[in-house]
Amino acid sequence: MSTEIRAGGALPGDASRIHDIGYRSYDGPRLGRAYARRSLYVQSLKGAFGLGRSAKSKVLPMLLLAVMCLVAAIIVAVSMAAPGATKLVVKYTSYAIFLQAVIGLFVAAQAPQSVSRDLRFRTVPLYFSRPIAHADYVLAKLAAMASAVFVITGTPLLILYVGSLLAKFDFGDQTGWFAQGLVSVALLSVLFAALALVVAAVTPRRGFGVAAVIAVLTITYGAVSTIQAIAYSTGTEGAVAWFGLFSPITLIDGVQTAFLGATSAFPGGEGPGAALGVVYLFVVLALIAGSYAALLRRYRRVGL
C-alpha cells in the first residue's frame, strides 16, 4: 500500500511526493555465492516452464512437454499390444532424434526468455545481498536451461522405461538401454542449452532470438541430412559420417552411435565408428566450452 506524505510547507498540487512503498530492513544472515547461484538457478528453471509467470507463459512449454510424454505413452501402448513383443518399438537413444523438432522449438522459445530481458534492460530478476559474479550468473543460467531441456527429454524416457517394466520386458536390458538414453539426452540438453543461450544472448530482440535458435538447431539438421543423403546416393558413403559434424543433433547421433550402442539415423546407418566418435565427442565438448566462454564474455561486456 502506498502512503502519500506531503512535506511541510509544500503547496497543494506540488508534484514533489514521498511514497512509503513498504521497504523493510533485513536483519537475517547474509548468504554466500552458492545461495545466490542456487536462487538464480531455481528462478530460471521455473521460468522456463512459465512457473511464477502469467498463465499465457505456461501454455507453450507445458504443451510441448505434454507432446513429448504423450508420444512416449503411445509407443508404450503399441509395444504392449504387439503380439510376442520383447522390447519397445523405439529405442531410448532414438526418441530424442525422432522428436528433435519439438525439443528445438522448446529451446528456441525459452532460451531468449531466459537471457534477452536481462541483457536488453540490464536488470536481474532477483535482489542479491552482495554483487553476483559473472561466472555465477552464466553458470546458473546455463545449468537452468540444460535442466529444463533434460526434463523435457528425460521424462518421456522414464515413461518408456516404466511402461517396459509394466509390459514385463527384460529388466536388465531395459535398465541398460534406459541408462544409455539418459546419458545421451543429458549430453544433448547441455549442448542445446549452451548453443541456444549464446545465440539468444547476441541477438538484440527476443523474436530474432527465437528465429536464430531455430535456424541453428533445426535448419542445420535439415541441411546436413540432405547433404548426407546426396553423398550416400552418389556412392561416397565415407563422407556421410564426416558431414554429421556440422549439426547439433547429428553430433549427438554420432556420439551415441559410437559409444552408447545406438542405431544411427544417418543414411544407410553410416554412423561413425569409435575413432571418429572421439572427434564427435571432442566437437561437442568444444562447443559447450566455447559457448560458456562466449556467454561469459557477453555478460562481462554488458556489465551484468
Side-chain angles (χ1 to χ4, degrees):
M1 182 177 69
S2 175
T3 303
E4 182 179 334
I5 301 174
R6 181 162 297 156
L11 297 175
D14 192 336
S16 300
R17 296 175 180 177
I18 300 174
H19 293 275
D20 178 5
I21 59 174
Y23 282 121
R24 297 178 181 177
S25 61
Y26 175 71
D27 55 2
R30 193 181 187 192
L31 302 173
R33 291 178 57 186
Y35 188 85
R37 279 197 304 267
R38 186 164 63 252
S39 299
L40 187 58
Y41 166 80
V42 172
Q43 190 274 339
S44 300
L45 179 59
K46 290 169 63 178
F49 291 97
L51 303 178
R53 298 166 58 200
S54 65
K56 181 181 176 182
S57 301
K58 299 178 179 63
V59 174
L60 182 60
M62 292 302 180
L63 179 63
L64 295 177
L65 178 60
V67 169
M68 293 290 291
C69 295
L70 179 61
V71 174
I74 292 173
I75 290 173
V76 170
V78 171
S79 301
M80 294 176 72
T86 58
K87 60 182 180 181
L88 297 169
V89 295
V90 173
K91 287 187 173 183
Y92 294 94
T93 48
S94 300
Y95 193 80
I97 303 296
F98 291 154
L99 293 178
Q100 55 93 16
V102 179
I103 301 168
L105 184 58
F106 175 84
V107 175
Q110 301 310 315
Q113 176 274 329
S114 181
V115 297
S116 61
R117 185 181 295 273
D118 298 356
L119 292 169
R120 185 179 177 191
F121 298 108
R122 300 188 180 186
T123 58
V124 293
L126 300 174
Y127 289 109
F128 298 105
S129 61
R130 67 181 75 237
I132 186 170
H134 300 297
D136 293 340
Y137 197 92
V138 172
L139 187 62
K141 287 288 182 180
L142 179 57
M145 195 66 228
S147 298
V149 181
F150 185 72
V151 168
I152 200 172
T153 55
T155 303
L157 296 191
L158 182 61
I159 294 173
L160 292 176
Y161 179 62
V162 173
S164 68
L165 297 184
L166 293 175
K168 301 186 183 307
F169 295 155
D170 185 82
F171 175 78
D173 288 344
Q174 293 298 322
T175 302
W177 294 334
F178 175 57
Q180 291 174 343
L182 285 182
V183 172
S184 174
V185 296
L187 191 62
L188 178 147
S189 301
V190 178
L191 177 63
F192 274 35
L195 293 175
L197 287 179
V198 167
V199 173
V202 298
T203 37
R205 298 282 183 176
R206 184 174 171 180
F208 294 157
V210 172
V213 173
I214 290 176
V216 170
L217 298 183
T218 304
I219 295 179
T220 55
Y221 175 70
V224 167
S225 298
T226 302
I227 294 173
Q228 286 178 321
I230 294 172
Y232 183 75
S233 62
T234 54
T236 52
E237 293 88 352
V240 170
W242 287 99
F243 286 130
L245 291 167
F246 298 96
S247 163
I249 195 67
T250 53
L251 278 171
I252 298 300
D253 189 307
V255 171
Q256 67 180 14
T257 300
F259 302 114
L260 299 176
T263 300
S264 177
F266 291 177
E270 298 286 343
L276 185 54
V278 173
V279 179
Y280 270 69
L281 185 59
F282 174 79
V283 173
V284 170
L285 297 178
L287 285 174
I288 294 172
S291 299
Y292 176 77
L295 276 174
L296 206 56
R297 182 178 181 182
R298 174 67 172 148
Y299 273 93
R300 280 201 184 110
R301 178 174 295 180
V302 173
L304 281 175

